[in-house]
Amino acid sequence: MKIGIPKETAAGETRVAFVPALAGALVRDRHEILLESGAGGRAGVGDAQYAAAGATIVGSAADLYAAADLVLKVHPPTIAEAGLIREGAAYIGFLAPFSNAPVLQVFLRRRITGYAMEFIPRITRAQSMDALSSQATIAGYKAVLVAAERIDKMFPLLMTAAGTVTPATVLVLGAGVAGLQAIATAKRLGARVEAFDPRPAVRDQVKSLGAVFVEMELPKDAETAGGYARELSPEFIRKEMEAIGARLPKVDVVISTAQVFGKKAPLLVTKDMVERLRPGAVFVDLAAEQGGNCELTRAGETIVHQGVAIIGAVNLPATVPADASALYARNCFNLFRHLYPKPDAQPDPADEIVMGACLTRGGEAVNAAVRQLLNSSQGSS
Ligand code: NAD
C-alpha cells in the first residue's frame, strides 16, 4: 500500500502525521511511504531523515495525493485537499465532522474511506490510538507554562533571606486528560492546586495528584458509558458557578478545560465572575475553540479585562511540534496496524474500533450521527 503524508496547510499547524522512527515496520510489510517534501520540517524532521528511513520524497501535494492509497494527516483536509485524494483511497486523521460537512460530502462522492481520530472509542484496547488524549496531555501541560509565563508572580513557595514568596494558587476546571496534566504540571512547579469536575470518579484522581477537589454535590448521571461528561442541567451549572465564584478571589491562575464531546463547551465563568479575580491573574481557556468556558474568551486572542488576562488558547500541541507529532504519529500508526494487521489484510467493518472511527466508506456515511448531519446539510444546501 502507498501511504501518503502531506504537508499540513492549516494556519499555525506545525505537526506532521508520521515520523521516521515508525517507518521500519511499514517498510518490512512492503508498504511504500510517500512524504510531501518539507512535511516534517516544522516538527524538526527533515526530508533526509525520512528518506534514510525508507520514505520516498514527493515534490508536490497534488502528486502525493494522486499516488497515495491511504493518507495520514493531522488537520482535517480542506475541500480542495479532499478533492485531491484518490477515489476509493482511505484517510486517517482528525475530521471534525460537525464543522466539516462539505469535506465529508467530498469523501462520499469520491468513495473515500474516512477514519476520524477523534472518533476512536475511549476503550482500553484503543488507548494506544487515542489522539484526543495524547494531544490533550500536551495542551494541559502547555497551558500551565503559558500561565506561568504571563502571571506576575512565581508558582513555588520560596523562603529566601529577602522574605517568603507564597505559592501561586491554580484552579483547574474540568479534570479530564488535559486538566489532570495541568494539575500535575502546576504541582511540579510548586503551585497550590484546586480542581473541579462533575464526574465523581475524578475526585480521587485529583486528590492523588496532590490537588484539592472543590467539593459540591455531584450529579449521579454525570458520566456516559464511554467515560465522557454528559451535558449537565442548568440548575447544576448554576450551583457549580456559585462554587467556582467563591474560589475566584483566592486564585492567581484559572485553567479551564471543561468540555462535553460534540457540544459547545459549558459556560462556567461570566464577565462578572472574572471581576472577582485579582488584577494580574491569568485565565487560560483550553475550551476556546468550542466556545470557551469563560464569557470573555476569544479563540486565538488574549483579552485583558480589569487587569485579568483571558487567553483563548488554540492548538497548544502545535507549540510543541516534536513531541506532539511523535505521539500523534504513533496513534495513527497503531490505528493503521489495527486496520491492516498483515500486508494484504482488510479492515474488519464489524470491529468496535473500526465501527467507531470509520465515518465514510464506499460512498456512504457509516456513522449514524454523521449520516444525520450530512442528510440535514444536504437538505439545507
Ligand atoms: P473532554 O475533553 O471531553 O472534557 C474535559 C473535562 O471536562 C472532562 O473531564 C469533563 O468531565 C469535564 N467537564 C464537562 N462538563 C463540565 C463542567 N460543567 N464543569 C467542569 N468540568 C466539566 O474529556 P477528556 O479529557 O478527553 O476525557 C474525559 C474522560 O474520558 C477521561 O477522564 C476518562 O475517564 C475517559 N477516557 C477514557 C479513556 C480510555 O481509554 N479508557 C481514554 C481517554 C479518556
Side-chain angles (χ1 to χ4, degrees):
M1 180 183 295
K2 289 185 172 143
I3 303 168
I5 300 102
K7 193 150 74 175
E8 297 294 325
T9 54
E13 188 52 80
T14 57
R15 293 170 291 175
V16 59
F18 190 78
V19 291
L22 300 171
L26 298 181
V27 172
R28 265 195 306 281
D29 276 353
R30 303 190 305 281
H31 295 302
E32 208 179 316
I33 301 162
L34 308 177
L35 181 101
E36 183 182 346
S37 178
R42 284 166 294 181
V45 199
D47 289 354
Q49 285 164 274
Y50 284 101
T56 304
I57 310 302
V58 178
S60 77
D63 289 346
L64 179 109
Y65 282 111
D69 302 308
L70 180 141
V71 172
L72 289 181
K73 211 174 167 310
V74 182
H75 258 267
T78 60
I79 297 174
E81 285 167 338
L84 293 175
I85 300 177
R86 245 183 7 78
E87 281 211 49
Y91 169 93
I92 291 178
F94 285 119
L95 270 172
F98 300 112
S99 48
N100 260 330
V103 167
L104 288 165
Q105 300 285 14
V106 178
F107 273 35
L108 294 191
R109 275 201 300 280
R110 301 180 66 75
R111 294 182 303 103
I112 295 161
T113 307
Y115 297 99
M117 291 304 283
E118 61 273 72
F119 273 62
I120 288 184
R122 310 303 278 280
I123 55 174
T124 309
R125 209 157 60 86
Q127 266 177 348
S128 67
M129 310 166 201
D130 185 352
L132 283 184
S133 289
S134 72
Q135 304 305 295
T137 300
I138 295 174
Y141 157 81
K142 201 59 200 277
V144 173
L145 300 191
V146 167
E149 173 74 22
R150 176 86 194 202
I151 189 88
D152 56 4
K153 72 182 266 71
M154 293 193 287
F155 271 36
L157 166 75
L158 288 184
M159 288 164 145
T160 78
T164 299
V165 175
T166 56
T169 298
V170 175
L171 173 63
V172 176
L173 301 175
V177 180
L180 290 174
Q181 189 54 238
I183 294 170
T185 306
K187 286 297 292 182
R188 278 185 222 119
L189 285 179
R192 269 193 78 256
V193 185
E194 304 175 357
F196 178 73
D197 195 290
R199 290 181 298 120
V202 174
R203 181 187 274 117
D204 287 347
Q205 295 168 3
V206 165
K207 288 185 176 169
S208 73
L209 289 171
V212 174
F213 190 77
V214 176
E215 291 292 347
M216 64 175 286
E217 201 184 324
L218 298 179
K220 293 199 174 46
D221 59 348
E223 193 162 314
T224 65
Y228 281 116
R230 280 186 209 287
E231 203 167 15
L232 296 162
S233 69
E235 176 59 10
F236 177 84
I237 297 278
R238 192 185 56 72
K239 286 192 193 147
E240 180 183 352
M241 288 168 83
E242 269 171 30
I244 295 168
R247 302 305 311 148
L248 293 179
K250 301 182 184 81
V251 309
D252 302 295
V253 171
V254 181
I255 295 187
S256 75
T257 76
Q259 295 198 37
V260 177
F261 188 74
K263 301 255 158 63
K264 192 171 180 293
L267 177 65
L268 302 177
V269 178
T270 59
K271 174 168 164 280
D272 289 353
M273 289 166 74
V274 169
E275 290 169 7
R276 289 189 221 169
L277 286 160
R278 69 169 178 84
V282 175
F283 191 128
V284 181
D285 193 339
L286 283 188
E289 281 173 287
Q290 282 70 38
N293 295 138
C294 174
E295 187 183 357
L296 298 179
T297 297
R298 296 287 167 270
E301 292 178 34
T302 297
I303 306 288
V304 179
H305 180 72
Q306 298 194 355
V308 177
I310 298 114
I311 301 174
V314 168
N315 199 2
L316 286 183
T319 64
V320 194
D323 284 335
S325 300
L327 295 178
Y328 180 77
R330 176 65 73 176
N331 296 141
C332 291
F333 172 85
N334 288 332
L335 174 62
F336 177 85
R337 301 284 282 185
H338 181 77
L339 297 173
Y340 307 97
K342 293 195 194 116
D344 49 0
Q346 283 305 311
D348 171 7
D351 171 78
E352 187 182 2
I353 297 171
V354 175
M355 284 202 295
C358 186
L359 304 189
T360 61
R361 185 193 302 117
E364 282 177 34
V366 292
N367 173 290
V370 170
R371 193 162 45 243
Q372 205 179 4
L373 170 87
L374 294 184
N375 285 342
S376 60
S377 73
Q378 238 169 4
S380 62
S381 63

